[in-house]
């Protein structure tokens, strides 16, 4: 009788032949920079040619006393919440609507997914035109409807700018969430609906008692995916406002770019990078543990 | 079922509003890109173009250098996809079907990379690329994108290979096959859905990437399409007809490609997201 171990134990050297290419390129271009970011965040590095000296927690302390950091942090959280609500919500609503269709489902699904294939930077250019106060689609539409008093500078109004840019970003992002919700809906056991029909349940009660519980796994996955995607939100902001006016659309990602490549404060930028990583890790861990606690 | 298809109309009608919100912008851009500067600047945005100004496209194409931008983006995407497949399939196989000491340690090392966004490592990554002489080079961008996308690719392939029966490996071993032959002769032909997912997802994220190219690619002649369009739109802020035409040039190829392959495209995307 052969022992299972003889057949299946391979040893690290043999496995390394398969792993080495991926580990090498990942180690060099991602893992090493992660470690280096942490190290750099404790130095006063200020650009490529400067000599970096250890300065302890000075970068973190200076961020803690930096108003723009707190604005960027607050707005990043608001940005994530808006993205989950707008893009996730629209994805959910449209998936529910489309799932009922038989004849036209494929048509609607492919058509509604279209914004997602356009890159976020291009979406930024598109929506900057849509929001243009003089010839843009939105103000023009409001004038045409006789609602001209609602027209405004969607990207220049400090109170609106974060929301306006988020709409553009969510417009691009929702398609993937819609597809994932649709995939989740297909996995719900159809006999549950038949049973609900026999009980005479309304469409609303079926949504609350069958559909939403059936989507729970997909939903937590999509919320964490939407948060991670939102956390990377840079392109639309950068293209449309560069964080302005008055920092009112500044996110942590845009502030990292400014600190590192415009102000040449690489040590402080690295400290902000560490904070961004921590937020990403916390989101991932929280959602996974929450997900595992669900029945 | 006739009862079902009759009940379909109210839903389809209800979808008209979201449909307009999602597709209206495309239509408006295409129509605007055919207008004269005068029509855009002073006319109602809902007016149809008086005559199709196709020269907007010719001018935008020549002034913006869109041919080079599209070429650079294509080279970037193809290189990332090929490299990603070559490195992730064997690594995914090793994690799924080989037993070795240190497997869980290496696995956790990969998990970190799955969570940390590229924005969070940009400072040392920039220094590294500078040190390697890869600033302002598509090769530098490509290598960094492959390294950053590797954890997802390895997870995707691993999860797919794990769903195949171990007996396949054991039987092939008894027939005298090594792991390399098992991977290339048995598993790769089986894993078309996973490979498709990996191709779609890495191609799309590379084609759309803006942050890394913005940081690394300074000279116009090495820039990729999103970066080039943004630079173009920033330079010609008052030539709206050019920017509209350039924007349409930037999204039309990918939109047409999607429409031609939409089944496989969306299948790959959902498969990959749910399996990875």
């Amino acid at each position: 009788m052969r022992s299972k171990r003889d057949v299946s134990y391979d040893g690290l050297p043999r496995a390394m032949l398969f792993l080495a290419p991926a580990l090498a390129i990942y180690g060099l271009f991602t893992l090493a920079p992660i470690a280096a970011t942490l190290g750099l965040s404790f130095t006063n590095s200020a650009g490529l040619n400067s000599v970096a000296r250890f300065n302890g927690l000075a970068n973190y302390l200076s961020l803690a006393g930096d108003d723009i950091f707190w604005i960027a942090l607050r707005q990043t959280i608001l940005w994530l919440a808006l993205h989950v609500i707008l893009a996730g919500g629209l994805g959910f609503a449209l998936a529910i609507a489309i799932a009922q269709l038989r004849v036209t489902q494929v048509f609607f699904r492919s058509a509604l997914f279209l914004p997602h294939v356009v890159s976020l930077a291009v979406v930024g250019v598109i929506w900057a035109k849509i929001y243009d106060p003089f010839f843009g689609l939105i103000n023009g539409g409001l004038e045409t409807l006789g609602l001209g008093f609602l027209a405004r500078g969607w990207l220049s109004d400090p109170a609106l700018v974060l929301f306006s840019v988020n709409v553009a970003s969510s417009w691009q992002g929702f398609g993937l969430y819609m597809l994932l919700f649709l995939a989740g809906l297909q996995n719900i056991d159809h006999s549950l609906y038949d049973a609900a029909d026999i009980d005479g349940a309304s469409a609303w009660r079926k949504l609350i008692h069958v559909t939403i519980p059936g989507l729970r796994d997909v939903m937590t996955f999509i919320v964490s995916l939407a948060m991670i995607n939102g956390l990377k939100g840079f392109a639309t902001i950068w293209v449309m406002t560069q964080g302005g006016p008055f920092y009112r659309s500044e996110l942590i990602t845009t502030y990292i770019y400014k600190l590192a490549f415009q102000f040449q404060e690489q040590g402080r930028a690295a400290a902000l990078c560490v904070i961004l990583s921590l937020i990403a890790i916390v989101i991932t861990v929280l959602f996974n543990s929450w997900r595992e606690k669900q029945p | 079922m006739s009862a079902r298809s009759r009940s379909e109309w109210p839903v389809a009608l209800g979808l008209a509003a979201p449909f307009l919100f999602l597709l209206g912008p495309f239509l408006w851009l295409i129509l605007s890109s055919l207008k004269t500067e005068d029509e855009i600047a002073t006319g109602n945005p809902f007016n149809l173009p008086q005559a199709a100004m196709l020269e907007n496209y010719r001018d935008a194409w020549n002034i913006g250098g869109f041919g080079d931008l599209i070429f650079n983006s294509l080279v970037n995407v193809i290189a990332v996809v090929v490299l990603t497949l070559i490195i992730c399939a064997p690594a995914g196989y090793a994690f799924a079907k080989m037993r070795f000491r240190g497997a869980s340690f290496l696995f956790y090392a990969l998990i970190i990379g799955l969570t940390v966004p590229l924005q969070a490592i940009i400072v040392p990554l920039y220094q590294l690329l500078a040190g390697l002489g890869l600033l302002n080079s598509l090769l530098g961008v490509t290598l960094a994108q492959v390294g950053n996308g590797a954890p997802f690719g390895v997870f995707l392939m691993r999860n797919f290979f794990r769903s195949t029966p171990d007996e396949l490996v054991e039987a092939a071993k008894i027939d005298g096959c090594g792991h390399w032959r098992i991977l290339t002769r048995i598993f790769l032909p089986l894993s078309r859905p996973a490979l498709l997912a990996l191709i779609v997802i890495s191609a799309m994220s590379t084609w759309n990437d803006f942050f890394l190219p913005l940081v690394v690619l300074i000279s116009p002649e090495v820039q990729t399409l999103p970066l080039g369009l943004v630079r173009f739109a920033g330079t010609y802020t008052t030539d709206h007809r050019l920017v509209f035409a350039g924007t349409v040039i930037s999204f039309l190829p990918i939109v047409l490609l999607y429409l031609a392959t939409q089944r496989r495209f969306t299948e790959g995307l959902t498969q990959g997201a749910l399996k990875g």
Side-chain angles (χ1 to χ4, degrees):
Chain A
M1 219 183 103
R2 66 196 165 86
S3 90
K4 187 151 174 82
R5 195 183 158 84
D6 289 339
V7 179
S8 51
Y9 186 76
D10 300 286
L12 188 57
R14 187 136 36 120
M16 262 305 164
L17 292 176
F18 288 71
L19 292 168
L23 288 179
I25 195 162
Y26 163 71
L28 184 61
F29 289 100
T30 300
L31 202 54
I34 291 175
T37 303
L38 198 56
L40 204 61
S41 75
F42 299 113
T43 71
N44 65 354
S45 172
L48 268 187
N49 301 317
S50 71
V51 183
R53 282 212 186 78
F54 180 78
N55 68 354
L57 291 174
N59 293 322
Y60 292 93
L61 292 174
S62 103
L63 281 178
D66 178 353
D67 288 341
I68 301 168
F69 162 69
W70 291 108
I71 293 172
L73 179 63
R74 206 169 48 232
Q75 286 174 173
T76 298
I77 294 167
L78 184 61
W79 171 270
L80 294 185
L82 275 173
H83 186 67
V84 170
I85 293 166
L86 294 179
L90 188 60
F92 178 72
L94 289 179
I96 297 278
I98 291 174
Q100 306 173 30
L101 303 173
R102 290 290 170 275
V103 184
T104 49
Q105 179 174 23
V106 174
F107 167 76
F108 275 110
R109 197 190 61 181
S110 345
L112 296 178
F113 184 76
L114 257 183
H116 193 72
V117 304
V118 180
S119 87
L120 276 168
V122 176
V123 165
V125 176
I126 293 176
W127 278 79
K129 296 294 169 205
I130 292 176
Y131 282 133
D132 190 283
F134 303 109
F135 58 81
L137 196 54
I138 304 233
N139 281 357
L142 290 169
E143 308 272 357
T144 308
L145 292 172
L147 297 168
F149 62 94
L150 286 174
R152 58 204 62 207
W154 299 96
L155 298 175
S156 55
D157 184 334
L160 282 175
V161 61
L162 195 72
F163 181 77
S164 303
V165 182
N166 198 279
V167 167
S169 208
S170 298
W171 177 82
Q172 192 266 5
F174 93 98
L176 180 61
Y177 312 137
M178 178 186 77
L179 280 188
L180 296 175
F181 274 125
L182 272 174
L185 284 169
Q186 279 164 7
N187 290 334
I188 297 178
D189 185 356
H190 211 272
S191 64
L192 292 172
Y193 288 106
D194 296 338
D197 277 335
I198 292 168
D199 294 343
S202 66
W204 176 252
R205 291 185 66 86
K206 277 189 273 187
L207 180 69
I208 299 292
H209 293 291
V210 182
T211 308
I212 290 179
L215 285 176
R216 184 171 275 161
D217 268 357
V218 182
M219 219 175 255
T220 44
F221 172 70
I222 288 172
V223 171
S224 45
L225 181 70
M227 297 235 263
I228 294 296
N229 280 346
L231 213 51
K232 296 175 183 169
F234 173 86
T236 37
I237 294 260
W238 195 252
V239 172
M240 293 168 82
T241 66
Q242 304 215 342
F246 312 115
Y247 303 106
R248 291 298 288 273
S249 60
E250 198 79 71
L251 298 186
I252 290 185
T253 46
T254 56
Y255 199 39
I256 287 175
Y257 181 86
K258 285 180 185 172
L259 285 177
F261 302 108
Q262 293 183 341
F263 311 151
Q264 298 291 321
E265 295 184 46
Q266 306 218 338
R268 245 153 66 87
L272 195 54
C273 286
V274 172
I275 293 170
L276 178 68
S277 312
L278 288 179
I279 297 175
I281 290 170
V282 165
I283 289 175
T284 313
V285 171
L286 276 185
F287 263 90
N288 282 329
S289 63
W290 185 66
R291 191 179 184 175
E292 271 157 27
K293 258 188 268 161
Q294 301 301 308
Chain B
M1 270 187 281
S2 63
R4 276 203 188 277
S5 45
R6 232 186 294 122
S7 69
E8 198 157 322
W9 281 107
V11 180
L13 279 178
L15 283 170
F19 198 76
L20 216 60
F21 168 63
L22 294 160
L23 298 188
F26 290 114
L27 194 62
W28 180 64
L29 274 155
I30 293 172
L31 287 177
S32 301
S33 71
L34 297 169
K35 292 180 178 176
T36 63
E37 194 60 42
D38 221 35
E39 284 177 87
I40 297 170
T42 57
N44 183 306
F46 292 98
N47 287 347
L48 291 177
Q50 313 228 295
M53 284 273 293
L54 287 172
E55 50 267 57
N56 291 349
Y57 281 88
R58 193 195 54 209
D59 295 346
W61 182 273
N62 291 334
I63 296 169
F66 281 94
D68 292 342
L69 295 174
I70 291 173
F71 177 77
N72 289 342
S73 271
L74 279 178
V75 169
N76 183 217
V77 166
I78 291 168
V80 168
V81 169
V82 170
L83 270 173
T84 301
L85 291 179
I86 290 176
I87 67 167
C88 292
Y93 175 84
F95 278 119
K97 295 292 179 202
M98 294 170 85
R99 290 242 195 122
F100 52 95
R101 201 159 284 141
S104 60
F105 170 77
L106 291 175
F107 196 65
Y108 283 118
L110 277 174
I111 286 184
I112 303 173
L114 207 55
T115 333
V116 172
L118 188 67
Q119 279 89 349
I121 60 169
I122 192 64
V123 181
L125 189 58
Y126 178 84
Q127 294 176 339
L128 175 70
L129 290 174
L132 294 172
L134 291 174
L135 279 189
N136 216 7
S137 112
L138 264 181
L139 178 64
V141 168
T142 300
L143 289 173
Q145 285 164 335
V146 172
N148 203 246
F152 174 78
V154 174
F155 277 106
L156 180 69
M157 296 311 295
R158 165 190 172 267
N159 290 357
F160 185 83
F161 290 145
R162 270 163 64 108
S163 67
T164 58
D166 279 340
E167 285 74 23
L168 268 178
V169 180
E170 307 282 319
K173 272 189 181 172
I174 291 165
D175 291 345
C177 282
H179 279 300
W180 188 250
R181 281 183 57 151
I182 299 177
L183 171 64
T184 53
R185 297 285 164 77
I186 303 174
F187 278 88
L188 284 184
L190 276 178
S191 49
R192 277 184 47 184
L195 295 175
L196 172 70
L198 195 49
I199 290 172
V200 170
I201 290 174
S202 61
M204 232 175 109
S205 62
T206 308
W207 178 265
N208 290 342
D209 192 10
F210 178 69
F211 186 69
L212 193 66
L214 175 73
V215 170
V216 175
L217 303 176
I218 308 302
S219 320
E221 60 272 15
V222 292
Q223 288 180 348
T224 50
L225 185 58
L227 191 55
L229 174 72
V230 169
R231 176 173 46 79
F232 181 71
T235 315
Y236 296 93
T237 40
T238 50
D239 284 300
H240 302 107
R241 62 179 195 98
L242 291 182
V243 177
F244 277 116
T247 311
V248 175
I249 291 172
S250 303
F251 70 68
L252 214 51
I254 188 80
V255 164
L256 292 176
L257 180 70
Y258 161 71
L259 289 177
T261 62
Q262 52 92 10
R263 260 288 160 80
R264 284 167 170 273
F265 197 96
T266 51
E267 261 169 33
L269 215 58
T270 8
Q271 264 266 340
L274 293 175
K275 282 234 160 140

